[in-house]
């Protein structure tokens, strides 16, 4: 088991390296930062994400409050906006750059998040399909990281957090079904809500649909699996309530 686990980490690392190399090669060819002045920022990233990163930098530097941002809408609560767009741990890197450099930071964040997708997907592909080997798992992880979803929607950069968490959710489903061990699913669902509650509710819906079909086709499944699934959902939503309850109330107001 230890050898398989180490090989899975190796698959993830190789997937991360492959993804980073391909993206950096594209950036080099396109003369984009860090190899030039170009930036991947466009569309929603220009209109919403970069201004919000600027506001978040003000919050981190003490120039504005998380609960009262005076630069938007004549003064607003920034708490819900933070968890809707900025609650990724990568967002805190904005503290290290000047506001004028934030468009270039977007390049770095896209590389970091997609490379992490390559790691988590490569890791999970090997853990679930051990017969694939390290290189094939890493290749599949790289394909996942550079799939159409990431290439089309990276300008909504907060959505990429759900993209690198989703393979862990899939691993949690696998462990719940095969071993009736809910810990990985519980942790990954909780992190999904905290990092990106907007997309995480779609993941919850997918879980309901998946296990509904699973129950239909595999009628002899141990019912403890469904009990643990329900507990995972309830506990993760309870633990992450500090995120979605205030945001929901703010939305309705």
């Amino acid at each position: 088991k230890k050898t398989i686990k180490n090989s899975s980490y190796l698959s993830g690392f190789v997937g991360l390296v492959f993804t980073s190399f391909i993206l950096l090669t594209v950036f080099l060819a396109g003369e984009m930062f860090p190899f030039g002045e170009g930036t991947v920022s466009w569309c929603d990233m220009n209109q919403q994400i970069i201004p919000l990163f600027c506001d978040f930098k003000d919050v981190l530097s003490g120039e504005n409050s998380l609960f009262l941002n005076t630069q938007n809408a004549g003064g607003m609560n920034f708490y819900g906006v933070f968890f809707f767009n900025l609650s990724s741990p990568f967002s805190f890197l904005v503290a290290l750059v000047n506001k004028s450099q934030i468009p270039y930071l977007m390049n770095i964040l896209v590389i970091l998040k997609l490379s992490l997708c390559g790691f988590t997907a490569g890791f999970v592909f090997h853990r679930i399909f051990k017969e694939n080997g390290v290189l094939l798992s890493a290749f599949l992880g790289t394909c996942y990281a550079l799939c159409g979803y990431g290439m089309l929607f990276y300008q909504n950069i907060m959505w990429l957090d759900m993209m690198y968490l989703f393979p862990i959710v899939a691993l949690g489903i696998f462990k719940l079904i095969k071993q009736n061990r809910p810990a990985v699913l519980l942790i990954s669902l909780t992190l999904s809500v905290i990092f990106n509650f907007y997309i995480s509710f779609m993941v919850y819906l997918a879980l309901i649909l998946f296990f509904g079909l699973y129950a239909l086709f595999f009628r002899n499944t141990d019912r403890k699996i469904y009990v643990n699934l329900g507990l995972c959902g309830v506990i993760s939503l309870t633990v992450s309530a500090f995120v979605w309850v205030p945001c929901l109330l703010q939305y309705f107001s």
Side-chain angles (χ1 to χ4, degrees), residues 11-81:
S11 295
F13 177 74
V14 175
L16 182 151
V17 171
F18 282 175
T19 304
S20 299
F21 176 77
I22 292 171
L23 289 172
L24 287 171
T25 300
V26 172
F27 280 32
L28 177 63
E31 297 183 348
M32 293 186 287
F33 184 84
F35 306 108
E37 297 297 317
T39 174
V40 297
S41 181
W42 69 287
C43 194
D44 286 355
M45 195 178 281
N46 276 341
Q47 298 165 12
Q48 300 179 43
I49 306 305
I50 288 179
L52 290 174
F53 266 89
C54 290
D55 291 343
F56 185 46
K57 182 170 178 62
D58 288 339
V59 171
L60 293 176
S61 61
E63 297 179 20
N64 249 312
S65 168
L66 184 65
F67 301 101
L68 178 60
N69 183 295
T70 57
Q71 297 183 20
N72 289 288
M76 62 177 290
N77 188 335
F78 198 64
Y79 187 89
V81 176

Side-chain angles (χ1 to χ4, degrees), residues 50-195:
I50 288 179
L52 290 174
F53 266 89
C54 290
D55 291 343
F56 185 46
K57 182 170 178 62
D58 288 339
V59 171
L60 293 176
S61 61
E63 297 179 20
N64 249 312
S65 168
L66 184 65
F67 301 101
L68 178 60
N69 183 295
T70 57
Q71 297 183 20
N72 289 288
M76 62 177 290
N77 188 335
F78 198 64
Y79 187 89
V81 176
F82 171 76
F83 281 108
F84 194 89
N85 293 281
L86 300 165
S87 55
S88 165
F90 289 103
S91 298
F92 289 86
L93 292 176
V94 76
L96 304 178
V97 302
N98 297 323
K99 285 185 178 180
S100 61
Q101 297 172 318
I102 291 178
Y104 302 121
L105 176 64
M106 296 298 106
N107 290 26
I108 302 302
L109 292 182
V110 168
I111 293 173
L112 289 175
K113 291 188 179 186
L114 289 178
S115 296
L116 187 54
C117 290
F119 177 85
T120 58
F123 175 85
V124 171
F125 273 121
H126 189 274
R127 287 302 295 271
I128 295 179
F129 306 105
K130 304 174 183 63
E131 66 278 5
N132 284 348
V134 170
L135 287 179
L136 179 56
S137 298
F139 172 74
L140 293 172
T142 304
C143 291
Y144 173 82
L146 301 177
C147 70
Y149 182 90
M151 296 298 96
L152 282 171
F153 294 120
Y154 68 84
Q155 78 273 13
N156 291 311
I157 198 166
M158 63 283 187
W159 293 1
L160 299 185
D161 292 281
M162 190 64 251
M163 189 174 166
Y164 65 69
L165 280 172
F166 185 73
I168 309 300
V169 175
L171 180 62
I173 295 171
F174 178 80
K175 283 184 171 291
L176 179 61
I177 291 174
K178 294 295 184 180
Q179 304 168 2
N180 204 7
R181 295 171 60 183
V184 174
L185 183 59
L186 172 60
I187 294 170
S188 59
L189 285 177
T190 303
L191 290 177
S192 298
V193 178
I194 295 173
F195 288 0

